[in-house]
Amino acid sequence: MAPHHLPFYLAPGSGIDTLMVVMGIFLIGTVLWVGTLYWKLHSLPERMAHKSQKLQFEFVAVLGLISLFTHMHIFWIAGLLLAMIDIPDFGGPLRSIADSVEKIADATPEDGDAAATSPLPAGGDAPPPTDEPGPAKEKEHSHV
């Protein structure tokens, strides 16, 4: 026969163990909180690289996945370091140079050699330029 005033941490013979229920809920909540904290920490490099270039973001994301599945933390550290570095944009200026060279190439007349070898008029002056729209001028105005 049990005494009538048992401490709260001892389960009564015919009831529910209240302390075990409270600790079970606390354990489930703690596991969920630690898991959420782990996922936020694990995705930190990806969130940092999200505002950078697409290639850098994808590379950091792949390093994060490799780190997740292999449990090798060096990949996560490499992804974090890569996300913190601003890689300069080499493609933009090179693309601009290529576009400019293409415009220059399109603007030159195709019959440039024939005009250079033709004799000048009797006055010695070059003929006045014509304002006829050629293919190069039409293409140039189509971008505006």
Side-chain angles (χ1 to χ4, degrees):
M1 297 266 244
H4 295 288
H5 47 279
L6 289 173
F8 74 94
Y9 53 85
L10 290 178
S14 63
I16 298 173
D17 189 358
T18 310
L19 184 62
M20 186 179 83
V21 171
V22 169
M23 290 310 295
I25 293 171
F26 177 77
L27 178 67
I28 290 171
T30 303
V31 166
L32 290 175
W33 179 73
V34 169
T36 304
L37 181 69
Y38 173 77
W39 284 111
K40 285 198 178 281
L41 182 66
H42 184 76
S43 68
L44 178 68
E46 291 179 44
R47 287 186 282 135
M48 287 174 63
H50 186 68
K51 52 192 162 211
S52 66
Q53 300 171 5
K54 183 179 188 291
L55 182 65
Q56 182 180 6
F57 172 70
E58 288 177 355
F59 195 61
V60 169
V62 167
L63 284 173
L65 285 175
I66 291 172
S67 168
L68 179 67
F69 292 124
T70 62
H71 300 288
M72 295 178 69
H73 304 297
I74 191 69
F75 292 114
W76 185 84
I77 293 170
L80 182 65
L81 291 175
L82 184 63
M84 291 171 54
I85 296 171
D86 282 337
I87 297 176
D89 182 25
F90 293 115
L94 291 177
R95 198 172 308 110
S96 174
I97 291 170
D99 291 342
S100 297
V101 169
E102 186 177 338
K103 277 185 180 179
I104 291 171
D106 288 344
T108 56
E110 295 175 5
D111 298 330
D113 293 335
T117 59
S118 67
L120 292 175
D125 293 329
T130 59
D131 289 334
E132 295 176 14
K137 289 188 177 187
E138 289 175 8
K139 188 172 185 181
E140 185 177 14
H141 290 293
S142 67
H143 293 291
V144 177

